[in-house]
Every structure is written in C-alpha cells, then in structure tokens.
Amino acid sequence: MSLLKKIIKFLLLAFLITLLHILAVSLFPYPLNHINVAVSLLLLIFIITNKEGVIWLAVLVGILLEIFASVTYGINLISLVVSLIFTNWLSMNTFTHRSVHMVFITGIIGTVMYRLIFSTLIFFVSVLNQTDFYLFKGNLLADMGLEILLTGSTLFIFYIISIRLLSYLRSDYLSENRRIKL
Amino acid sequence: MPQQTRKIYPYVLLVLVILVIFHYLGVTRFIENGARFVLIPVSTKIYQTGSKIKENFKFLNLDNETKEKYNNCIDVEENFNVIEVKTRLLEEENLELKKMLEFKEEMELKLLPARVIGKSIDSIEQNLIINQGKKSGIEIGQPVIVKNGILIGKISKVENDTSQIRLINDNQSRIASTILNKNKSLGVVEGGFGISLRMKYIPRNETILIGEQIITSGLEIDMPRGLLIGTVAVVENEAYKPFQQAVLNPATDLSHLTIVSVLIN
C-alpha cells in the first residue's frame, strides 16, 4: 500500500510540474514566459531532498513534456535528464557548500547544460535529416541567455522560500548539517 | 558522493535510450495517448485563458463601445489587406494571360479548420499545437493561414490527432517571399526577432517603400503564391552590404490565435 501511495504521489508530482511549466509558457508575459519551470523545480527538489529518486521524476516529467515538444522525440527528455544528472554530480562533488549563492550558480549551470545538450542534439538530428538549424540567427542566443538567467533566479527564489517554510515546519531542520549559510 | 546515486546513472541513461527506441517502435503509444488525454484538455484551457487575458489587457482603458469598434476595425483592415493582395495578383495574372497563350495549372487547395489547443513547451520557440493531425490529412510543410489568406506559419510536426505549427516569427522559420513593389523583389522572410519579421537578401538596387505588402512568392514546395505575410515597416539599405533588408509588421497578431486553417493540397 505504501508503495502504491509512493507511485501515486510520484505521478501526481510529475503531472503538477508539467502543468506548471505549461502554465508559465502559456500565461506569463514576456520575458517571464522564458522561465524553464520544469528545470528549476526539478533542481529545487534535487537540492532539498538529495535523493536519487528525483532523477526518475525527471524522466517522467521529460516524457510528459515530450507531448508538447516541437523537436524530435527524445531530445527534450535526454537534455532534461542528462543536465540534471550533471548538475547533481556537480552539487555532490564541486558545489558541496550549500549556500544560496551556490544554488543560484547551480541553477545557471543546470540550464546552460540543458540548452547546450538540447542544441547539440538538434544539430546532430538536423545533420542526419539534412535540414537546417540556425543557432546564430535572430534573437535565439539572447532568448537562451534570458532563459538561463531567469531560471537561475527562479530557483534561487524558490529555494529561499522553501527553506524558510521548511524551517518553520520541521524542527529538525536547524541541525548543523542543514543550516543555510548566507 | 553517495554510491547509490552514482550507480543508477548508467541505468537511467539506458532507460532513456530504451524509451526513445520504444517510442519509435510504437510500444509506448498507449502511455502517451493516456497522458495526452489528461494533459491536452488542461493545456487547451490554459492557452485559451492566456489568450483572453492578453486580449483583455489591451482594453484596460477602453469602454465597451470603443472595444467593439476597435475589434471591427482590426477585422476590416486585415480582410482589406487580403482582398487588396488578391486583386493585385488577379490583375497581374490577367495581363500575363492576355500576353501569352499558355496553360495555367491550378492547384486544388482545401482549407481544413483547426483549433489552437496550446503552445510548445519550449518558450524560445514560437510553435502552436492544433487539434488536427495525420488522420485529417495534415503533412509537414503545409501552410497555415487565418482569415482566408494571411500566412501565420507552416506545419512542423504531425501526430495522429495533433500537429504543431511553426509560426513565421519563430527563429527557425524561413519563407520565400515577394514584395508587391515595382520590381517584385524576391527575398526570404525570417523570424526570431520578437514580434516583427525581417525580409533578407533583397537586391540593393531595387526600391522598397514603407507600407508595401509582402506575400509568399510560390517558389517553395506546398506554399502557394499570394498569401499575405506582412507590410514593410523599416528599410535597411547599407552601402557596404550586398543585400538590403526590411523589417516587417506581420499582417495579423500572432500572439493569440485561436482558430486557424491548414491548406491541404
């Protein structure tokens, strides 16, 4: 029964993250619609819970987002999961100091990795299909930069809010290992 | 780093590869259809709400009568632009046919109406999702119009029941086009510049005036000639560049489309 509950919670969380992402893209005005809500929420959950199950959550969110993706199936999914794995590895090995500044940098790096892998995969697919992919055209790079900055900032804000909420709700959160360093 | 986390990385990557392969084999179709069944009605509601909010935002300071008059004016102007383009093309065609004795091939085009049910999840792209797909005869590359003659984009991805439109202001969009000027200048209309468009590779010696209309040239496969794209807003003609370019205003507002038509050959 507890396994069933876990699976249901897992599915509901994945659907919620997907719907929040769709909401941001459809409802928010420019430039706020450039926030990559899926990446920022998944990174937030990674940073707060520190559990490997979040990677599977990312796989499920990637599958759901593929329904609305305009690129070849798999590009969005692979970019999302691989960028989160890389960011997780970074936060475990390099950014071990869990300050809010590191969280912001983690958000930036996570989104940069996402876009880098995304663009690389699109490039290879366009080479295989013999179609064109214009990376240096129009405002594409500027839009990517905006997305990276806004997603990092959103993660930063979400992290501060969630840490404040958790500190009020969980008395064991003020233990030495989990204290925020500002 | 926890050993367990490191150990699952190869499994995750393997699962990703398997999922992608299963998708193309059709094994995961029932899961995807189930997820679509849940998500698409919600995304349709979200998109429609977003369109209404954006539409109403424009009218914050206007009273009801003025709002109605404003909407009517926009409709009349867009229809007028389409009629004007068609009239000019008919006049030119008439002259050419009178001069030459040749067989004119007509393309049988069918309009398939579709409702916009959402946007692509990538905010950097300008792609819309519609509720018609392969089952209705939609194919990649077909043009999508509104109001019987204003081009808004092309079909970029097709599923069984849904399709995606790449709008003309998307950064990967390129349309072969003609200016309705004295020289009938040819060029390529590109997106990726926010709400405006740019027409590039226009020969420098040809004169372009602000306000002139741009239409599809018909030089692309599946793209008929004469679909209105926009009007010239700014001309950029610099001596050191081999071509001139024009900044265009799209012929219709691309930010809140709800009903479109796909041209099926």
Side-chain angles (χ1 to χ4, degrees):
Chain A
M1 198 60 189
S2 64
L3 179 65
L4 185 64
K5 273 187 190 170
K6 272 188 186 172
I7 291 170
I8 291 170
K9 268 191 212 172
F10 193 76
L11 286 172
L12 284 173
L13 189 57
F15 271 92
L16 183 65
I17 293 173
T18 308
L19 285 173
L20 286 172
H21 186 92
I22 294 167
L23 205 84
V25 168
S26 301
L27 281 186
F28 289 1
Y30 180 86
L32 296 175
N33 61 350
H34 280 53
I35 298 171
N36 196 324
V37 172
V39 168
S40 61
L41 283 177
L42 286 166
L43 278 174
L44 178 73
I45 297 171
F46 243 138
I47 291 166
I48 289 178
T49 62
N50 210 18
K51 286 183 182 171
E52 75 268 9
V54 185
I55 298 178
W56 298 111
L57 180 65
V59 171
L60 189 53
V61 169
I63 293 169
L64 294 175
L65 288 176
E66 282 289 349
I67 295 168
F68 299 93
S70 56
V71 294
T72 310
Y73 188 92
I75 289 178
N76 198 53
L77 172 62
I78 293 171
S79 311
L80 187 66
V81 176
V82 173
S83 64
L84 284 166
I85 288 174
F86 177 78
T87 315
N88 187 41
W89 179 86
L90 260 188
S91 66
M92 292 295 177
N93 290 292
T94 313
F95 301 142
T96 51
H97 184 252
R98 294 297 180 99
S99 69
V100 288
H101 310 100
M102 283 301 123
V103 168
F104 177 70
I105 291 170
T106 304
I108 298 280
I109 291 175
T111 320
V112 166
M113 283 308 300
Y114 171 77
R115 275 294 158 200
L116 202 61
I117 298 166
F118 189 88
S119 304
T120 309
L121 288 173
I122 287 189
F123 173 74
F124 283 125
V125 167
S126 64
V127 165
L128 284 170
N129 292 337
Q130 293 177 334
T131 53
D132 295 320
F133 173 60
Y134 311 101
L135 183 59
F136 299 108
K137 194 164 78 77
N139 295 342
L140 183 57
L141 291 178
D143 285 337
M144 284 188 191
L146 199 59
E147 183 194 27
I148 289 163
L149 196 62
L150 286 172
T151 306
S153 307
T154 307
L155 175 63
F156 177 78
I157 294 166
F158 280 169
Y159 182 70
I160 293 190
I161 294 170
S162 52
I163 289 300
R164 294 278 181 238
L165 278 175
L166 284 171
S167 67
Y168 287 128
L169 294 171
R170 290 171 59 183
S171 58
D172 65 339
Y173 199 78
L174 295 175
S175 65
E176 197 57 44
N177 291 335
R178 293 186 179 191
R179 185 164 294 170
I180 312 166
K181 295 180 180 108
L182 288 168
Chain B
M1 178 163 69
Q3 285 273 316
Q4 290 117 342
T5 313
R6 233 183 5 214
K7 275 184 189 169
I8 70 165
Y9 288 171
Y11 294 115
V12 172
L13 294 172
L14 184 66
V15 164
L16 286 182
V17 171
I18 290 171
L19 276 170
V20 173
I21 293 170
F22 277 3
H23 168 82
Y24 286 109
L25 291 174
V27 173
T28 54
R29 195 168 292 156
F30 73 97
I31 301 170
E32 288 162 16
N33 287 342
R36 269 199 194 94
F37 182 75
V38 174
L39 287 172
I40 282 180
V42 180
S43 98
T44 308
K45 266 289 166 214
I46 292 171
Y47 179 79
Q48 285 169 353
T49 308
S51 294
K52 276 186 196 157
I53 291 171
K54 284 172 190 166
E55 185 73 42
N56 288 334
F57 186 73
K58 278 196 287 188
F59 299 125
L60 274 176
N61 295 323
L62 299 176
D63 60 16
N64 285 335
E65 197 185 330
T66 315
K67 281 182 207 176
E68 208 181 307
K69 282 182 181 170
Y70 174 78
N71 277 331
N72 288 339
C73 281
I74 297 283
D75 283 340
V76 165
E77 192 200 353
E78 286 178 354
N79 285 328
F80 172 76
N81 285 336
V82 173
I83 292 167
E84 193 188 359
V85 164
K86 285 183 177 171
T87 309
R88 284 180 72 172
L89 288 174
L90 281 169
E91 279 172 2
E92 287 164 15
E93 231 173 64
N94 194 25
L95 277 173
E96 282 177 28
L97 285 170
K98 278 179 181 173
K99 282 177 197 169
M100 297 177 283
L101 285 171
E102 65 179 29
F103 173 71
K104 178 175 168 283
E105 193 180 78
E106 277 192 15
M107 237 186 337
E108 290 286 326
L109 290 173
K110 197 175 86 169
L111 282 177
L112 177 70
R115 182 180 292 279
V116 177
I117 58 172
K119 285 184 77 172
S120 164
I121 45 126
D122 196 344
S123 57
I124 282 171
E125 295 171 347
Q126 301 294 329
N127 281 28
L128 298 177
I129 306 172
I130 57 174
N131 64 347
Q132 303 284 0
K134 227 178 274 183
K135 288 181 186 171
S136 310
I138 291 185
E139 291 170 2
I140 291 176
Q142 286 170 342
V144 184
I145 63 171
V146 290
K147 290 189 169 60
N148 282 333
I150 300 176
L151 180 75
I152 58 146
K154 284 198 269 193
I155 299 290
S156 60
K157 190 179 180 189
V158 185
E159 306 282 348
N160 277 337
D161 294 308
T162 58
S163 308
Q164 294 216 13
I165 305 168
R166 173 169 288 136
L167 294 177
I168 52 175
N169 62 345
D170 183 71
N171 51 59
Q172 303 296 316
S173 169
R174 299 185 114 201
I175 310 280
S177 46
T178 302
I179 304 178
L180 291 179
N181 60 355
K182 191 181 70 177
N183 305 111
K184 300 289 174 286
S185 309
L186 292 174
V188 176
V189 171
E190 296 180 350
F193 303 94
I195 55 170
S196 61
L197 308 165
R198 275 182 195 251
M199 186 169 174
K200 293 187 171 179
Y201 312 116
I202 307 167
R204 278 201 59 231
N205 56 331
E206 294 176 1
T207 311
I208 311 167
L209 299 173
I210 290 172
E212 281 176 338
Q213 290 164 326
I214 286 92
I215 59 167
T216 51
S217 60
L219 296 175
E220 279 181 68
I221 300 168
D222 287 336
M223 184 71 71
R225 178 178 162 78
L227 299 175
L228 182 61
I229 297 174
T231 51
V232 176
V234 175
V235 179
E236 293 171 3
N237 191 350
E238 291 170 63
Y240 62 92
K241 287 187 179 171
F243 295 102
Q244 59 179 322
Q245 54 183 13
V247 177
L248 315 177
N249 288 326
T252 190
D253 188 354
L254 300 169
S255 60
H256 47 86
L257 299 163
T258 48
I259 305 286
V260 299
S261 301
V262 183
L263 284 177
I264 296 177
N265 190 357

